[in-house]
């Protein structure tokens, strides 16, 4: 599947369906970083032990731990380069779907009689997300080195946080579709190999 | 800028000690925030109630050594809350007692109303709520639509829906904002009890800060005796939402304290797992500077309850830093830490909540600039 295909999947069917496609044919038990993974809840591989999470199941996901296979434990490198790109594309789709929902919400609410969608700070923030979406989609089409994946995913997490904020307190409820953005970040945090980072500022 | 004196350092010390016990309850409260029975004896809860309840309803103020901490000081409150939130902000928000509503009651209520409110909170498992936000109106609180209609000279009826209200579904008593007419000054606050006819509350499942137990309250013709409207004895400008605006300044400083405490906790969590993680000193320095801003905001509010600039600056700085700290913490540790150190995963959810409390960062940004421009033109 092309990045555009993964993106459409994420947008139309959500994070769990997109993640299932990203992980298709992948030995998650071996690849799970230090035996830890977030997986589609349907059809968990043998040996995966589900760790409680307050709302992953609502999104059709499970946070799991695999028992160590060897006495030395395991490393588990996480997603390969192509799969990290596919995951970025899925996350793009999820993000763009929720941006759409957020825009409808912002258009229906007012402050001082003015629709929120017309407030300059909101207009600017939407533009920033749209720009990031385009940039990230273009990066999925580039043959970028594997080490750049973590930074790309971090940018998506930040864009996701901007979209989450458009929902106000509704964006802090576990029974709202916005939970997909919190879990999208968690999926990337677990699966995408990253250099041990430095503090870039807030 | 505020430097803590011996009295405040003693309060900080005792709060830091209490925070250790409080943290031990963090994961259980997160997993099941409505099951509070095992947590009610937390030492910090006693101190929170003692420092947030007026003297006449307690056995006296908190004492640490030769120092006393009577309720009412915002600076004392933020010094305490930075430390307790370092333990865990979710457990702190789950504390029974007067909470936000108490701050408003202290400022707007008469003696009989105070007796009523604090009387209802006399047990150690009684929560209160402070209800402004509605499903359709959040940031634009002055456009709220909940209606307070006079039926007889002695009785009003309350109709509308409040949503995202801390302890909304477990609070026995609280304050509800509603309008008696269409003018801005017609927004009033009323003391409301959950066992009144027409009061229906349900809990909302939260992403993080789950101890705050947000709820939705439906008010379906709840009868409100006229004596339960707050601020009858005050001038019209001080009574309703405008009176409450001053309370929001206090609350904002408190939310900033929660954010800084959580940020500092994240730094130390990473330090314990990976001493010398790149960026740790920078981040800690920023957080300590922000803590100073929070103390400054507390002192500014104590000097002038209308001071909106310093709490807004402190809240925005702290909110951004706490979230940055959570992202840095995740990136600084290996993925397995999200499971093997469960507080890491929890705090990455918790830090997102501060954004929405007491005004989003974009609303604060506008307050900060307006407040600056006002003082600039006054110079
Ligand atoms: C943990 C938690 C505890 C809470 N506790 C309470 C409580 O105890 N009592 C209570 O009454 N409420 C409480 N709230 C609700 C909180 O006060 C509101 O969420 C907040 O006021 C924002 O309102 P909203 O959610 O309706 O967002 P909205 O007002 O719908 O905002 C949506 C988005 O639009 C933006 N926006 C809105 N207006 C403007 C503008 N003029 N210019 C630019 N951008 C704008 C916002 O920044 C945001 O990004 C709580 C919320 C949380 C998450």
């Amino acid at each position: 599947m092309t990045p555009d295909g993964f993106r459409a999947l994420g947008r139309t069917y959500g994070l769990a369906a997109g993640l299932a496609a990203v992980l298709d044919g992948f030995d998650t038990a071996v690849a799970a970083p230090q035996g830890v993974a977030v997986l589609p809840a349907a059809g968990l591989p043998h040996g995966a032990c589900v760790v409680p999470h307050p709302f992953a199941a609502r999104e059709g996901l499970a946070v799991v731990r695999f028992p160590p296979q060897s006495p030395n434990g395991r490393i588990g490198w996480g997603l390969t380069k192509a799969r990290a790109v596919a995951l970025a594309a899925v996350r793009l789709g999820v993000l763009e779907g929720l941006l759409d929902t957020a825009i409808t919400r912002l258009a229906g609410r007012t402050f001082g009689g003015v629709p929120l969608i017309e407030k300059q700070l909101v207009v600017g923030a939407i533009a920033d997300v749209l720009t990031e979406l385009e940039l990230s989609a273009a990066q999925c089409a580039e043959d970028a080195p594997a080490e750049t994946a973590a930074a790309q995913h971090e940018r998506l997490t930040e864009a996701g946080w901007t979209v989450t904020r458009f929902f106000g307190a509704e964006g802090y409820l576990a029974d709202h579709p916005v939970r997909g953005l919190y879990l999208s970040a968690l999926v990337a945090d677990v699966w995408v190999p990253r250099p041990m980072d430095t503090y870039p500022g807030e | 800028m505020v430097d803590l004196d011996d009295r405040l350092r003693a309060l900080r010390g005792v709060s830091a000690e209490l925070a250790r016990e409080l943290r031990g309850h963090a994961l259980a409260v997160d997993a099941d925030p409505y099951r509070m029975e095992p947590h009610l004896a937390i030492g910090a809860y006693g101190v929170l109630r003692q420092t947030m309840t007026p003297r006449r309803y307690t056995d006296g103020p908190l004492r640490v050594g030769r120092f006393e901490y009577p309720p009412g000081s915002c600076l004392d409150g933020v010094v305490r809350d930075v430390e307790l939130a370092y333990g865990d902000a979710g457990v702190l928000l789950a504390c029974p007692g007067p909470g936000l509503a108490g701050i408003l009651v202290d400022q707007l209520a008469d003696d009989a109303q105070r007796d009523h409110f604090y009387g209802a909170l006399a047990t150690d498992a009684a929560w209160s709520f402070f209800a402004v936000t509605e499903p359709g109106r959040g940031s634009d609180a002055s456009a709220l639509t909940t209606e307070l209609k006079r039926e007889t000279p002695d009785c009003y009826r309350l109709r509308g829906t409040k949503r995202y209200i801390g302890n909304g579904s477990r609070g026995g008593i609280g304050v509800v904002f509603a309008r008696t007419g269409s003018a801005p000054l017609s927004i009033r606050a009323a003391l409301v009890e959950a066992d009144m006819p027409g009061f229906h509350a349900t809990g909302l499942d939260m992403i993080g800060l789950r101890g705050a137990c947000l709820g939705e309250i439906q008010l379906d013709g709840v009868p409100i005796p006229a004596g339960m409207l707050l601020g009858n004895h005050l001038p019209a400008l001080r009574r309703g939402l405008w009176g409450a605006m001053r309370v929001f300044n206090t609350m904002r400083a408190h939310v900033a304290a929660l954010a800084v405490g959580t940020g500092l906790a994240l730094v130390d969590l990473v330090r314990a797992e990976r001493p010398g993680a790149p960026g740790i000193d920078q981040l800690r320095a920023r957080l300590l500077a922000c803590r100073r801003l929070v103390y400054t905001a507390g002192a500014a509010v104590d000097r002038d309850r209308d001071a909106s600039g310093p709490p807004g600056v402190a809240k925005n700085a702290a909110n951004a830093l706490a979230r940055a700290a959570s992202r840095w913490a995740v990136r600084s540790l290996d993925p397995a830490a999200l499971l093997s150190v469960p507080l890491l995963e929890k705090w990455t959810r918790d830090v997102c909540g501060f954004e929405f409390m007491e005004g989003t960062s974009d609303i604060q940004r506008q307050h900060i600039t307006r407040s600056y421009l006002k003082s600039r033109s006054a110079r």
Side-chain angles (χ1 to χ4, degrees):
Chain A
M1 203 185 309
T2 61
D4 281 349
F6 281 109
R7 182 175 176 175
L9 195 60
R11 178 166 183 157
T12 313
Y13 296 103
L15 185 60
L19 182 62
V22 169
L23 298 176
D24 188 37
F26 199 46
D27 188 343
T28 51
V30 170
Q34 290 155 313
V36 167
V38 183
L39 299 174
L44 287 178
H46 182 70
C49 169
V50 177
V51 179
H53 183 278
F55 52 89
R58 285 181 184 263
E59 197 62 28
L61 294 171
V63 181
V64 305
R65 196 196 292 278
F66 290 100
Q69 273 170 334
S70 72
N72 297 332
R74 77 171 87 223
I75 305 283
W77 294 111
L79 295 185
T80 57
K81 183 176 148 184
R83 287 182 204 266
V85 170
L87 179 63
V90 166
R91 295 185 69 202
L92 270 170
V94 170
L95 181 57
E96 126 188 281
L98 283 160
L99 173 64
D100 199 49
T101 312
I103 286 175
T104 306
R105 178 183 192 274
L106 290 164
R109 293 172 82 83
T110 58
F111 190 112
V114 178
L116 295 185
I117 192 80
E118 290 173 23
K119 293 281 176 189
Q120 281 186 359
L121 289 171
V122 173
V123 171
I126 292 175
D128 290 347
V129 173
L130 290 171
T131 307
E132 190 57 46
L133 279 172
E134 292 309 317
L135 193 56
S136 200
Q139 190 170 344
C140 288
E142 283 288 323
D143 188 23
E147 311 78 73
T148 60
Q152 182 188 8
H153 277 276
E154 192 64 26
R155 303 281 303 193
L156 284 172
T157 295
E158 288 314 298
W161 175 231
T162 304
V163 172
T164 304
R165 285 159 46 203
F166 293 147
F167 289 97
E170 206 178 344
Y172 206 49
L173 296 186
D175 63 359
H176 189 279
V178 75
R179 65 174 174 261
L181 291 174
Y182 293 94
L183 290 164
S184 164
L186 181 65
V187 167
D189 288 340
V190 168
W191 271 119
V192 180
R194 56 178 175 260
M196 290 300 203
D197 217 316
T198 174
Y199 169 64
E202 61 275 11
Chain B
M1 286 284 162
V2 172
D3 282 311
L4 298 195
D5 58 15
D6 288 349
R7 179 182 163 282
L8 287 167
R9 272 203 291 272
L11 176 62
R12 183 159 88 186
V14 86
S15 304
E17 271 167 42
L18 290 165
R20 263 182 245 144
E21 181 205 15
L22 184 134
R23 184 176 292 180
H25 296 256
L27 295 172
V29 169
D30 185 60
D32 190 354
Y34 285 94
R35 194 168 161 263
M36 285 300 291
E37 211 269 327
H39 316 296
L40 293 175
I42 295 176
Y45 281 4
V47 164
L48 277 163
R49 275 201 301 276
Q50 200 175 7
T51 48
M52 295 185 79
T53 307
R55 275 171 190 247
R56 55 194 276 221
Y57 308 105
T58 63
D59 300 334
L62 174 71
R63 289 197 174 78
V64 180
R66 64 196 160 97
F67 302 114
E68 264 194 15
Y69 305 89
S73 157
C74 185
L75 177 56
D76 286 9
V78 294
V79 167
R80 175 199 67 208
D81 284 357
V82 168
E83 302 309 317
L84 295 183
Y86 179 87
D88 185 73
V91 181
L92 171 51
L93 289 168
C95 179
L100 302 182
I103 305 177
L104 189 83
V105 166
D106 294 345
Q107 293 202 22
L108 298 191
D110 60 29
D111 284 347
Q113 291 166 336
R114 268 190 214 119
D115 286 351
H116 188 76
F117 177 76
Y118 287 104
L121 294 170
T123 74
D124 63 1
W127 286 265
S128 61
F129 50 84
F130 177 89
V132 181
T133 310
E134 300 176 350
R137 302 281 169 194
S139 303
D140 194 6
S142 60
L144 60 82
T145 59
T146 297
E147 190 180 77
L148 188 63
K149 209 168 180 179
R150 191 164 216 154
E151 273 205 343
T152 68
D154 302 329
C155 186
Y156 289 76
R157 292 264 173 197
L158 199 50
R159 283 192 182 81
T161 304
K162 297 290 179 185
R163 197 165 156 86
Y164 316 116
I165 309 306
N167 297 314
S169 71
R170 67 179 170 194
I173 190 165
V175 178
V176 174
F177 284 81
R179 55 172 66 251
T180 55
S182 54
L185 288 182
S186 63
I187 294 179
R188 298 291 302 269
L191 272 187
V192 178
E193 278 161 288
D195 59 4
M196 295 285 224
F199 186 106
H200 310 284
T202 40
L204 301 169
D205 194 7
M206 299 173 68
I207 297 280
L209 294 177
R210 288 161 56 83
C213 282
L214 293 190
E216 176 171 294
I217 302 175
Q218 280 173 19
L219 303 152
D220 192 5
V222 178
I224 306 291
M228 288 296 117
L229 259 63
L230 299 181
N232 281 333
H233 60 299
L234 297 172
L237 258 176
R238 284 274 170 251
R239 270 182 201 159
L241 199 59
W242 305 121
M245 289 299 176
R246 327 172 83 204
V247 176
F248 294 151
N249 294 331
T250 306
M251 294 175 185
R252 239 160 247 149
H254 278 269
V255 176
L258 301 189
V260 171
T262 309
L264 287 165
L266 278 156
V267 166
D268 285 348
L269 179 147
V270 172
R271 189 199 303 282
E273 298 294 311
R274 188 183 169 200
I280 196 163
D281 293 336
Q282 269 165 283
L283 180 55
R284 188 173 142 76
R286 293 278 284 173
L287 281 159
L288 291 179
C290 192
R291 185 175 72 178
R292 196 176 267 270
L293 282 187
V294 174
Y295 295 160
T296 302
V301 170
D302 283 338
R303 273 196 307 276
D304 173 10
R305 296 269 156 196
D306 288 321
S308 64
V313 169
K315 199 223 143 178
N316 263 17
N319 175 39
L321 262 170
R323 189 164 177 285
S326 81
R327 292 308 308 154
W328 166 82
V330 167
R331 291 193 306 264
S332 298
L333 301 175
D334 52 45
L338 283 161
L339 267 67
S340 59
V341 190
L343 284 174
L344 172 63
E345 190 279 326
K346 177 192 179 300
W347 287 339
T348 61
R349 288 183 278 114
D350 287 353
V351 291
C352 297
F354 304 128
E355 163 68 18
F356 309 107
M357 297 169 77
E358 306 313 326
T360 64
S361 47
D362 278 350
I363 295 293
Q364 298 307 329
R365 289 165 85 192
Q366 298 174 62
H367 286 321
I368 290 166
T369 304
R370 270 192 220 114
S371 156
Y372 173 75
L373 294 178
K374 201 168 137 198
S375 66
R376 185 171 174 271
S377 63
R379 277 204 296 269

